[in-house]
């Protein structure tokens, strides 16, 4: 690498240091001041050394110029790290005081807040958004405050949901708990007692909201699934994207197209640059026009932190391109990352920020070498087209493993086919959004935008339906490290050529030029050989793992299982088997994960599907069983999404049966009873509290109680109803082990085994420590899918046996 390109990388250590210290300080804010003080002291020491060195003779300074550059970089490293830690230390007292409102006793509070983040639907069926608290009341006391919060609320608990948007003023009634360490939000407020919209958005946020809603409305009537994708591609509004299309976009690695990213911002600024240039504008006028367009776009799509970050990263990437110097682009990127982390240290723990920075850096650093390497094996145009998604995939893949431990096998090809259509959909969709005052123009532009949107949706659905579209991977940081090594190996194989080694000279001397050439060639080929060998080993392991999760998977499970809890992340999916008959209680959030579990267990058809309720973490994986269900027993339908799930099951041949108390039936040789909900109950709204509760026993099945997502109040009502038949050998813990439990129910049930179906490293803190303590207090042995993977339970004579995938041993029960 040339000296000039190396010099442009000098700010990378500055950004890395700021990032590392910001992450440390926000994760342990009470230690931020302790970290900042020595960093400032070292900074002063290095500054004094530089000042002393600069007073020496010019000749000595010239001889030490290289050392002086290192000292300057070291000074910047120390100052950036110290500034990030100091920011956290300065605001920590106020944040700590605000955190005292998160009372463990579930004390009720009232919060008035301004919505600053987009309202998003989570797999649990909740709406989640960021807000700034302005007033907080606990009992009769109230205080004016100002700190960041995250709000969680069920849509049915919002009084005027159509007015809830960025810029709204809301009043939230419920409880609060401390936000996870490293989050910008101080508290997570659960609106268990409702959310009231005090004031709808006004001014620019109101105009932007009307424009976005107008675009969504103009797409209604166009064929799905492309219609719902138009607002997402144009302005990042995914409210019209169906659950099925969202899953397909994620599985095919195309979900970034519906998130406002640097690409969207680059398109907007590029259009502005071109328009001003076409009018004969100067370079200064083009820059001003580009900035104005970028600011307008940010306001249109909502200026939440992720959008502002995308705009900043887009500006940086374009600057590198405009300068014609990749290294310069990296220097500016490092500087911008440093400034952003000093201004907002909590970005250091944001996966979105990390993906933005890594994706931008990968395009600046790796796209060109990959294109050159690929061009040796394919036409140059194709190599250039492949290099961009490949660079992004190799760089961002390890970070995406944190979200889901899978690797999209066809992601690069899907992006190659779909990405060319994205700019057209974005440009025409934006034009349609801004044409809201002229409905006939807006309708025509939206119809044109539908064409590329439909192509992208079709690409996503096609690739997500291919076999092996998601390759299982290691979870957590081991998975991150492993995929990073594999990505480096792939890059090495592509970039390093199969160089021909110069022929040996018949007369070799110690200074032979052939020998000097052969040495680096031999080293590069050795590295390439190691990379190829590593990829071959990984390919074999992945193929074997895929076989174990599908066709050969049944040989890794106990053959005698009666209850099998699938590992589907943050959700429920439990299989029951008696005398060859199969039932499934809930489907989990992800069709792919459920399909893998069914294939591994050798299940092709279900005699009975029980949908306890219709939250996404219990019904989101229903696609995996459409057309494979004989009867579907379901809880009350309270949402249009739930009605659509039932309609699709009925279209697939399932017989729909609404569940209520006093219902009973058989599964093979086992008997089941519905214990909850009461028929035509109005005491509890549709959702968690009217989950179907089943008692299943007999026919080799352990006496089992499945509690769905019941909270404490309906649990207490169930315990008082007299329908329980304890003791239970197996109990599926309600709501993934949340804190909202009635200990009296578990005392009455006296379970031998408590099954907790929960996702690893979930953001809810499930299962809660107090719930685990209550279960242990009644003598239950706890089995958890987050720590132990698939759980199998069956009767062995007079005892129960429990098999845990990540324990690998059989433990006799009582």
């Amino acid at each position: 690498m040339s000296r000039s390109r190396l010099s442009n990388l000098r700010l990378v250590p500055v950004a890395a240091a700021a990032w590392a210290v910001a992450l440390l300080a926000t994760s342990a804010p009470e230690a931020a001041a302790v970290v900042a003080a020595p960093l400032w002291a070292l900074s002063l020491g290095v500054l004094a050394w530089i000042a002393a060195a600069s007073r020496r003779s010019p000749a000595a300074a010239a001889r030490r110029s290289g050392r002086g550059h290192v000292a300057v970089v070291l000074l910047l490293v120390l100052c950036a790290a110290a500034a990030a830690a100091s920011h956290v230390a300065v605001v920590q007292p106020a944040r700590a005081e605000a955190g005292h409102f998160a009372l463990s006793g579930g004390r009720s509070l009232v919060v008035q807040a301004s919505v600053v983040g987009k309202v998003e639907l989570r797999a649990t069926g909740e709406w989640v958004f960021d807000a700034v608290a302005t007033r907080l009341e606990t009992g009769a006391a109230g205080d004016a405050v100002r700190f960041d919060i995250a709000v969680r609320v069920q849509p049915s608990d919002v009084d005027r949901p159509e007015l809830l948007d960025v810029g709204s003023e809301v009043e939230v009634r419920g409880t609060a708990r401390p936000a996870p360490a490293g989050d910008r939000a101080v508290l997570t407020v659960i609106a268990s007692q409702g959310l009231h919209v005090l004031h709808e958005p006004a001014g620019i946020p109101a105009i932007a909201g009307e424009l976005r809603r107008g675009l969504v409305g103009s797409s209604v009537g166009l064929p799905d699934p492309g219609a719902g994708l138009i607002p997402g591609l144009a302005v990042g509004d995914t409210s019209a994207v169906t659950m099925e299309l969202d899953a397909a976009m994620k599985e095919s690695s195309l979900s970034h197209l519906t998130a406002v990213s640097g690409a969207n911002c680059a398109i907007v600024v590029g259009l502005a640059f071109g328009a001003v240039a076409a009018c004969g504008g100067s370079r200064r006028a083009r820059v001003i026009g580009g900035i104005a367009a970028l600011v307008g776009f940010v306001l249109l799509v909502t200026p939440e932190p992720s959008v502002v970050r995308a705009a900043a990263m887009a500006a940086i990437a374009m600057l590198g391109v405009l300068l014609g110097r990749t290294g310069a682009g990296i220097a500016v990127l490092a500087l911008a990352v440093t400034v952003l982390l000093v201004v907002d240290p909590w970005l250091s723990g944001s996966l979105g920020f990390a993906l933005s920075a890594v994706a931008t850096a990968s395009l600046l650093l790796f796209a060109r070498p990959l294109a050159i390497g690929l061009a040796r094996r394919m036409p140059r145009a194709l190599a250039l087209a492949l290099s961009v998604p490949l660079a992004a995939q190799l760089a961002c893949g390890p970070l995406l493993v944190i979200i889901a431990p899978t690797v999209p096998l066809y992601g690069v090809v899907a992006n190659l086919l779909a990405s060319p259509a994205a700019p057209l959909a974005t440009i025409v969709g934006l034009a349609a959004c801004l044409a809201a005052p002229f409905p006939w123009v807006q309708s025509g532009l939206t119809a044109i935008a539908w064409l590329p949107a439909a192509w992208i949706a079709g690409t996503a659905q096609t690739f997500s339906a291919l076999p092996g579209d998601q390759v299982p991977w290691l979870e957590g940081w081991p998975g991150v490290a492993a995929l990073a090594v594999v990505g480096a190996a792939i890059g090495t194989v592509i970039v390093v050529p199969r160089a021909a080694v110069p022929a040996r000279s018949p007369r070799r001397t110690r200074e032979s030029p052939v020998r000097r050439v052969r040495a680096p060639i031999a080293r590069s080929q050795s590295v390439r050989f190691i990379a190829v060998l590593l990829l071959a080993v990984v390919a074999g392991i992945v193929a074997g793992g895929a076989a174990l999760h599908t066709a050969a998977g049944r040989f890794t499970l106990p053959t005698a299982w009666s209850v099998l809890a699938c590992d589907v992340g943050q959700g429920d999916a439990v299989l029951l088997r008696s005398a060859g008959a199969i039932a499934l209680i809930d489907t989990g959030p992800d069709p792919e994960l459920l399909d893998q579990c069914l294939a591994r267990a050798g299940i092709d058809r279900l005699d009975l599907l029980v949908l306890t309720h219709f939250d996404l973490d219990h019904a989101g994986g229903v696609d995996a069983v459409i057309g494979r269900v004989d009867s579907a027993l379901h809880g009350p339908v309270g949402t249009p999404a739930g009605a659509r799930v039932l309609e699709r099951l009925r279209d697939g041949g399932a017989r729909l049966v609404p569940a209520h108390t006093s219902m009973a039936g058989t599964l093979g040789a086992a008997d089941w009873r519905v214990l909850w909900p009461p028929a035509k109950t109005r005491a509890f709204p549709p959702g968690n509290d009217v989950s179907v509760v089943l008692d299943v026993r007999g026919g080799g099945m352990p006496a089992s109680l499945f509690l769905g997502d019941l909270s404490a109040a309906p649990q207490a009502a169930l315990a008082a109803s007299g329908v329980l038949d304890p003791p239970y050998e197996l109990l599926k813990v309600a709501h993934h082990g949340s804190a909202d439990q009635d200990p009296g129910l578990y005392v009455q049930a006296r379970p031998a085994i408590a099954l907790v179906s929960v996702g690893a490293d979930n953001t809810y803190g499930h299962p809660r420590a107090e719930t685990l303590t209550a279960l242990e207090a009644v003598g239950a042995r706890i089995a958890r899918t987050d720590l132990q993977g698939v759980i199998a339970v069956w009767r062995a004579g007079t005892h129960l046996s429990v098999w845990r995938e990540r324990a690998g041993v059989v433990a006799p029960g009582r």
Side-chain angles (χ1 to χ4, degrees), residues 307-378:
V307 176
V308 174
R309 292 197 304 268
M313 294 300 173
I316 293 161
M318 286 185 296
L319 179 60
V321 173
L322 289 173
L323 293 175
R325 297 176 61 187
T326 299
I330 289 295
V332 178
L333 171 62
L335 178 60
V337 167
T338 303
V339 171
L340 287 170
L341 288 169
V342 170
V343 173
D344 185 359
W346 291 271
L347 287 175
S348 59
S350 167
L351 185 59
F353 179 68
L355 288 170
S356 296
V358 168
T360 304
S362 69
L363 298 182
L364 292 170
L365 286 176
F366 306 136
R368 183 178 178 185
L370 288 172
I372 293 173
L374 291 170
R376 291 191 289 267
R377 301 167 176 84
M378 62 183 65

Side-chain angles (χ1 to χ4, degrees), residues 124-137:
T124 57
E126 294 175 308
W127 280 348
V128 180
F129 58 88
D130 294 326
V132 175
T134 55
R135 182 174 176 79
L136 195 147
E137 300 175 4

